[in-house]
Amino acid sequence: SLKSFTKELNAQFVVNLGQEMILNKLNAHVQMNNFFLHKKGMKKELNFVKTDFDLSFIKDKILLSNLNSQTIDNKVLTGNAIVNLIRNNNIANIEVNLLSDRIDYNWLASIWPDGFGEKSRKWLKTKVKGGYGEKYNLILGLNYNNQTFNVERFNLGWVHKNSEISFYKALPKAKVPEAKVFINQDEMRVDFQEFTISGISIDEGELQIAPVFKKGAKASMKLSGHSGASEILSFLNEKDLDLLSKNKIGTLAEGKVSFNSIFKWPIKEKFSKKDFNWKIQAFSDNINLYSLPYDLKITDSKLNILSEKNYFQFTSVGKVNNIQSEIEISKNENYKPKALIKFP
């Protein structure tokens, strides 16, 4: 349960009363010092050392505006709220808008309560190292029914800054200087721009997690970018992907490679490789590969690579062992690689 209390509260207000002393209108300015909030699962209680806001009541609405609240560790929240009332001044619904300039992820994880996106909280604690968010904007709509508040609308967005993110097992971490994050009732979406994974430059990317607040969450990540040939081949050959060595392709190469890719996996602490799916398309207009099956080498060649969970295809047009030709190498799961060479 949520527990809250304040050590000091001051208010200045003007009241307009109608017939039979019925409240028609109220305007107030409220100040609270050392306001505490705590819910099960939070590592520490929230201590707002100073909070002030304007409060007004007109007809069927309670308006909370000009909120300015500062925690004991210098986190600042601003915003407003509207409480819509029905007959007998009972609560119908609440609309909240909160803003913050900056919140560190370590702090956010420490005050994240139980029963609210627990897998997202765990992912934040275990997969995101360092970093912080700027320009937080929360829009929250709650309806009140049978003495219970239910989330009717939830939109949270912020600008992510400077962290390392782990996506799958021991694959190299993504070093992300900036990304835009959006969360609603159904999904979490992260739009990446210009970050790196193991020396590979990612021009843009998108991560989606859905459902974000329910069981069975799955992730889908799209990435596109460019790199040196040896860097991307080394990444494809990481032990948790192992897409090259099993096809007898080495990583010694020269040239530039562009790529498009998509990865899909369940949001679990541990999951097997069979639950990790991908599709990677890589291409180059001029590349040299020095370690291919059957002692082949290609130079001055155009290259296309398609890699999926159960299929791998490699095609090039250029020189094979210094002879102008086309080569295609393909492999289905559980079958030996096939190689086809065409000469002019």
Side-chain angles (χ1 to χ4, degrees), residues 6 9 75 88 150 285 299:
T6 184
L9 187 149
K75 303 297 184 292
N88 299 322
N150 299 299
D285 289 331
T299 53

Side-chain angles (χ1 to χ4, degrees), residues 96-100 134-139 155-159 181 183:
V96 178
N97 182 207
L98 292 177
L99 308 169
S100 182
E134 292 182 341
K135 301 178 182 178
Y136 283 85
N137 188 344
L138 170 65
I139 298 174
N155 288 291
L156 173 62
W158 71 89
V159 178
V181 185
I183 302 178

Side-chain angles (χ1 to χ4, degrees), residues 97-217:
N97 182 207
L98 292 177
L99 308 169
S100 182
D101 289 337
R102 172 171 170 157
I103 295 177
D104 297 336
Y105 294 140
N106 291 336
W107 182 85
L108 183 63
S110 72
I111 57 93
W112 195 309
D114 287 348
F116 183 77
E118 292 184 16
K119 287 188 176 180
S120 298
R121 177 181 66 178
K122 194 165 190 177
W123 185 81
L124 184 66
K125 286 183 176 181
T126 60
K127 301 298 184 182
V128 180
K129 181 180 179 181
Y132 58 93
E134 292 182 341
K135 301 178 182 178
Y136 283 85
N137 188 344
L138 170 65
I139 298 174
L140 179 65
L142 302 170
N143 61 35
Y144 188 70
N145 190 23
N146 295 326
Q147 297 183 335
T148 302
F149 284 105
N150 299 299
V151 177
E152 192 173 55
R153 183 164 60 132
F154 180 89
N155 288 291
L156 173 62
W158 71 89
V159 178
H160 168 92
K161 295 281 189 176
N162 297 332
S163 70
E164 290 187 351
I165 301 176
S166 300
F167 292 107
Y168 177 63
K169 291 190 175 180
L171 286 181
K173 295 179 175 64
K175 296 182 179 180
V176 182
E178 183 170 308
K180 293 181 180 179
V181 185
F182 307 92
I183 302 178
N184 59 28
Q185 300 103 303
D186 303 315
E187 69 173 12
M188 174 180 180
R189 190 178 84 248
V190 184
D191 292 335
F192 300 104
Q193 289 188 347
E194 297 184 355
F195 68 99
T196 61
I197 300 177
S198 188
I200 299 171
S201 297
I202 309 297
D203 298 325
E204 59 182 1
E206 180 183 89
L207 171 66
Q208 287 183 303
I209 299 176
V212 69
F213 296 127
K214 297 178 182 178
K215 293 182 179 180

